[in-house]
């Protein structure tokens, strides 16, 4: 096992060597690994959580962004390899759902390994995505307005011009990952899947969210929560309680 503190791609806020299962979390566009930092306290003690940190944010602020979601997924898959000595599962929110899905497919192609479970949240299935609204090239004022509508960026950040100018290049690069992503057909994954979504999420069509079930040959369930695109914040308590319960249910399979 590599020293976890030496990997800039995967952060472990609460290392747990005795864990039976590893949960790797993939953040949304414009987000960072830090959004997951207080999750371990709400998860079963048998689970160790690692949060993916993409370039261009946090301690990687000065690093160039990776252009293209598929090349990025291959890099993440390689960085995860030292930590796959235990059963593992992926959770991804929005952009993170697409990235964890493609990372799982990359692992299957390169190593014939797959997660024990895939949790995908708040994004349409890769083969059923509606025409992507082009956000990466919007003028600053229009992009900030859109971020207000998503309700996932703190208001104090959106009102701070200096902080915005620091963050917007990364937000634009992340939106570009979504906009340029093209799904390539492959056989479905074998791992079970759970689909999470917000009941008032106007960015994601319910039928296209449910279509994730076609991406696996395993059992698939869908769970909806009060709230919009960032229900993971507005319904945080019930969401984390549900995720913890779903992770506990995996134990007999791992």
């Amino acid at each position: 096992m590599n020293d976890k503190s030496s990997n800039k791609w995967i952060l472990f806020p609460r290392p747990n060597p005795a864990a039976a299962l590893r949960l790797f979390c993939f953040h949304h566009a414009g987000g960072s690994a830090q959004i997951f930092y207080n999750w371990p306290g709400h998860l079963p003690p048998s689970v160790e959580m690692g949060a993916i940190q993409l370039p261009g944010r946090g301690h990687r602020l000065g690093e160039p962004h990776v252009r293209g979601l598929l090349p990025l997924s291959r890099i993440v898959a390689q960085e995860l390899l030292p930590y796959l000595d235990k059963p593992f599962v992926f959770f991804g929110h929005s952009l993170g759902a697409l990235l964890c899905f493609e990372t799982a497919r990359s692992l299957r192609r390169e190593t014939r390994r797959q997660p024990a479970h895939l949790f995908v949240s708040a994004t349409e299935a890769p083969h059923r995505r509606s025409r992507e609204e082009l956000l990466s090239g919007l003028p600053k004022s229009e992009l900030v307005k859109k971020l207000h509508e998503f309700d996932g960026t703190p208001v104090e950040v959106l009102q701070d011009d200096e902080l915005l100018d620091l963050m917007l290049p990364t937000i634009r690069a992340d939106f570009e990952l979504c906009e340029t992503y093209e799904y390539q057909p492959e056989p479905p994954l074998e791992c079970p899947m759970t689909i999470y979504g917000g009941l008032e999420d106007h960015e994601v069509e319910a039928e296209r969210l449910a279509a994730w079930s076609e991406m696996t040959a395993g059992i698939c369930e869908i769970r909806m929560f009060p709230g919009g695109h960032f229900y993971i914040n507005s319904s945080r308590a019930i969401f984390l309680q549900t995720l913890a319960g779903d992770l506990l249910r995996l134990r007999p399979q791992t």
Side-chain angles (χ1 to χ4, degrees):
M1 170 61 64
N2 287 358
D3 177 10
K4 291 174 182 173
S5 64
S6 68
N7 192 314
K8 60 186 178 181
W9 286 87
I10 309 156
L11 306 183
F12 292 85
R14 190 180 297 184
N16 182 4
L21 180 72
R22 286 201 177 99
L23 165 67
F24 294 102
C25 295
F26 295 67
H27 60 73
H28 61 274
S32 72
Q34 279 68 26
I35 67 168
F36 303 114
Y37 262 38
N38 57 14
W39 284 24
H42 302 272
L43 301 178
S46 57
V47 176
E48 180 179 51
M49 191 202 76
I52 306 302
Q53 183 80 304
L54 300 183
R57 68 212 78 213
H59 65 288
R60 308 189 66 186
L61 186 61
E63 296 184 36
H65 307 104
V66 178
R67 301 293 181 183
L69 192 138
L70 295 181
L72 180 59
S73 70
R74 290 192 287 269
I75 295 171
V76 173
Q78 287 298 311
E79 294 293 336
L80 282 170
L81 288 179
Y83 308 106
L84 305 186
D85 56 326
K86 295 181 180 183
F88 63 97
V89 300
F90 289 168
F91 168 88
H93 183 75
S94 199
L95 164 67
L98 294 175
L99 181 55
C100 78
F101 168 71
E102 287 296 349
T103 300
R105 298 211 301 175
S106 182
L107 281 171
R108 179 176 66 175
R109 285 192 300 269
E110 299 299 324
T111 70
R112 298 187 180 181
R113 303 190 67 180
Q114 291 182 52
H117 202 97
L118 206 63
F119 296 92
V120 293
S121 169
T123 201
E124 295 171 346
H127 64 310
R128 293 288 308 280
R129 298 167 75 219
S130 49
R131 189 173 181 82
E132 191 76 42
E133 183 180 2
L134 301 181
L135 302 176
S136 61
L138 285 178
K140 179 179 177 180
S141 60
E142 293 182 36
L143 183 54
V144 170
K145 181 182 178 183
K146 195 66 185 178
L147 293 172
H148 268 293
E149 293 172 8
F150 281 140
D151 199 25
T153 307
V155 175
E156 56 269 24
V157 172
L158 297 177
Q159 293 176 341
D160 185 330
D161 265 349
E162 191 174 338
L163 195 53
L164 264 180
D165 288 341
L166 195 64
M167 293 180 59
L168 282 181
T170 291
I171 293 172
R172 291 185 189 279
D174 286 356
F175 282 146
E176 187 179 296
L177 288 175
C178 294
E179 294 163 4
T180 58
Y181 168 64
E182 293 186 10
Y183 168 74
Q184 301 295 326
E186 289 182 15
L189 295 169
E190 285 82 40
C191 60
M193 187 181 294
T194 301
I195 306 162
Y196 294 143
L199 289 165
E200 292 85 43
D201 186 354
H202 303 301
E203 303 297 325
V204 179
E205 292 183 22
E207 184 182 340
R208 296 176 190 270
L209 177 70
W212 274 102
S213 62
E214 299 166 20
M215 293 291 96
T216 180
I219 296 170
C220 188
E221 296 180 295
I222 185 165
R223 308 199 195 290
M224 303 298 291
F225 300 86
H229 197 63
F230 283 93
Y231 72 88
I232 61 171
N233 296 333
S234 60
S235 293
R236 181 175 174 275
I238 185 63
F239 161 67
L240 287 175
Q241 182 181 346
T242 302
L243 176 61
D246 286 344
L247 289 167
L248 279 175
R249 289 169 56 206
L250 299 182
R251 287 298 306 283
Q253 300 173 25
T254 60

